[in-house]
Amino acid sequence: MQVTYLESAAVLVETDDVSVLCDPWLVDGAYYGSWAHYPAPEFDPEDFNHVDYIYVSHVHPDHFHPESLERMDTDIPVLIHDYRWDYLREAVEALGFEAVELPHDERTHLGGDTHINVLAADGCDPERCGNFFGCTWYDTEADQTGSTQVDSMAVIDDGEETLVNTNDCPYPIAEPSCEKIKADYGEVDMLCHQYSAAQFYPQAVTNYDHEEKIAERDRVIQEKHELALNFIDLFEPTYYMPFAGEYVLAGDLAHLNEYTANPPREDAKAFFEANTDDAHECVFLNSGEYIDVTTGERSAPFEPVDPAAKQRYIEEELAPREFDYESDPMPTLDEFRAYVPLAYENMEGKRARIGYETDTTVLIPLVDDVCLELSMDGSGFDYTRNLDTDDYDDGWVKMDVAPQLLKRLFEGPHSAYWADAKIGSHIGISKDPDIYERGLYNTLGEFHADGADVQATASHDATAESD
């Protein structure tokens, strides 16, 4: 078995019989343009049209990246987990591929002696997901079998070697699925696991100063590294490859790169080698290089990047890039006001379904110095000028978004997703108190007009917002 590291979570697994390309985010521009690669890839998506299968672990665009897949041969079957919801299958099929949904924990023959087994991160146990994320209450059919978690993991074996790819599966939610793999397969020859934070925090928190962002960055890195140790301890692999969630911010977000919880790979390598048993060998590879899992032979030794060269690339190549939405016309206040009632009704439907309520007010600046006040307790919405956060004694979360992207978010998921905009660091977030209310962000994900044909009409009270 040969494993080639490409970019982030993209790896190519080749046996004597079959080749599987995993999570091919191969070109820059995930998350509405903000996520890029460094070093720049020396290959194109078309270079992998020879593979037998593509495995896509989940719908996040650094794993399911339409712009990469659009350039590939649609005759290649795409293997996915059989999620309870069909959003990933439908998105794969919309690109012209055949989506092959694989049931949880069912070893599937691919060719020759090679098999794949795809497992849900939550083990298809909605209660387990609910214990961590509240997912149970997000699903009216939570008493039925099926994954309510967005992630999946894959086991690829050729009868001799076994590879486990946990990609973004969160620990400890994924622990039972991992234990099942260990019990069924025994020895694991190669483990691929996440070690960094693919999230907005702390770089997009606008009311942290430099020192606070640096401190939180280092804390999150340590936390993610320690969580990754659990996967290594559980699987006891011969080789393990920390990967996934590796990115560089582009455009006018490039200045935030120093704050992302995305450490230099050589620093991560040093941590894992210092904190794991010598029986488990840490494998870092440069893009395009491979390891022979049978012999341990590498195609080339790992070479850390030059920090100065990386910074020059960020400043000269990535920072000047523009996001697609920046070329959209600037929305008017009347356009936003036309969307808000529909979006609020849609969001309220979800809030009621999941039984979520908080006194925290969501503040979303629109245009013309007007800010939307959004309740999360069913008491409605309002507009204000001359925003003063001291007026919100019960807590507030302020979300600053470029108006053009905000209009896309209001239009609905066919234009933009709140979660992807947040992960992409396009939303500047400040809050008081400084706590993360997961239910608030999950509820806000439904704050859109759901594709309705919204027509703005000039309002005579557009300046009548409260002070």
Side-chain angles (χ1 to χ4, degrees), residues 167-184:
N167 56 81
D168 285 1
C169 291
Y171 198 93
I173 286 178
E175 186 176 3
S177 287
C178 294
E179 290 175 339
K180 183 68 165 55
I181 292 171
K182 181 64 175 175
D184 290 347

Side-chain angles (χ1 to χ4, degrees), residues 37-246:
H37 297 296
Y38 185 82
E42 296 183 355
F43 45 76
D44 295 311
E46 295 89 345
D47 295 337
F48 301 95
N49 281 338
H50 65 282
V51 302
D52 298 300
Y53 297 93
I54 296 170
Y55 162 62
V56 173
S57 62
H58 62 291
V59 76
H60 285 159
D62 55 321
H63 299 263
F64 169 67
H65 189 236
E67 290 80 359
S68 295
L69 290 171
E70 284 171 349
R71 294 172 55 180
M72 296 190 66
D73 188 347
T74 56
D75 288 336
I76 305 170
V78 177
L79 309 174
I80 63 173
H81 171 58
D82 186 9
Y83 288 103
R84 183 189 310 260
W85 301 290
D86 291 330
Y87 49 80
L88 181 55
R89 175 181 62 79
E90 292 170 352
V92 168
E93 292 177 346
L95 295 173
F97 291 87
E98 175 193 6
V100 182
E101 294 181 302
L102 301 180
H104 170 70
D105 195 20
E106 185 173 299
R107 189 167 175 258
T108 302
H109 182 245
L110 296 182
D113 295 322
T114 303
H115 295 76
I116 190 169
N117 188 358
V118 175
L119 294 88
D122 59 5
C124 283
D125 177 3
E127 288 300 331
R128 184 164 188 83
C129 184
N131 288 337
F132 291 92
F133 292 138
C135 303
T136 299
W137 300 281
Y138 290 23
D139 185 0
T140 58
E141 298 179 341
D143 59 333
Q144 298 180 12
T145 304
S147 175
T148 60
Q149 233 289 322
V150 71
D151 298 300
S152 72
M153 65 183 74
V155 186
I156 300 174
D157 77 274
D158 62 2
E160 296 291 334
E161 279 87 34
T162 299
L163 173 143
V164 177
N165 177 356
T166 63
N167 56 81
D168 285 1
C169 291
Y171 198 93
I173 286 178
E175 186 176 3
S177 287
C178 294
E179 290 175 339
K180 183 68 165 55
I181 292 171
K182 181 64 175 175
D184 290 347
Y185 289 83
E187 182 176 346
V188 172
D189 299 281
M190 169 63 83
L191 168 67
C192 301
H193 64 86
Q194 192 185 53
Y195 71 101
S196 62
Q199 61 187 34
F200 76 98
Y201 188 86
Q203 69 272 10
V205 179
T206 55
N207 60 338
Y208 284 1
D209 61 23
H210 172 77
E211 288 75 18
E212 288 173 313
K213 287 183 179 180
I214 293 294
E216 281 302 284
R217 177 201 68 185
D218 293 344
R219 182 190 66 79
V220 173
I221 289 173
Q222 182 72 16
E223 178 184 90
K224 292 295 184 180
H225 283 5
E226 290 176 357
L227 285 172
L229 291 176
N230 289 285
F231 288 108
I232 300 169
D233 292 342
L234 192 156
F235 285 113
E236 301 179 300
T238 304
Y239 304 102
Y240 63 94
M241 180 190 297
F243 81 148
E246 299 168 337

Side-chain angles (χ1 to χ4, degrees), residues 300-313:
F302 172 64
E303 304 241 355
V305 302
D306 177 353
K310 179 179 179 179
Q311 186 58 35
R312 284 196 301 273
Y313 183 80

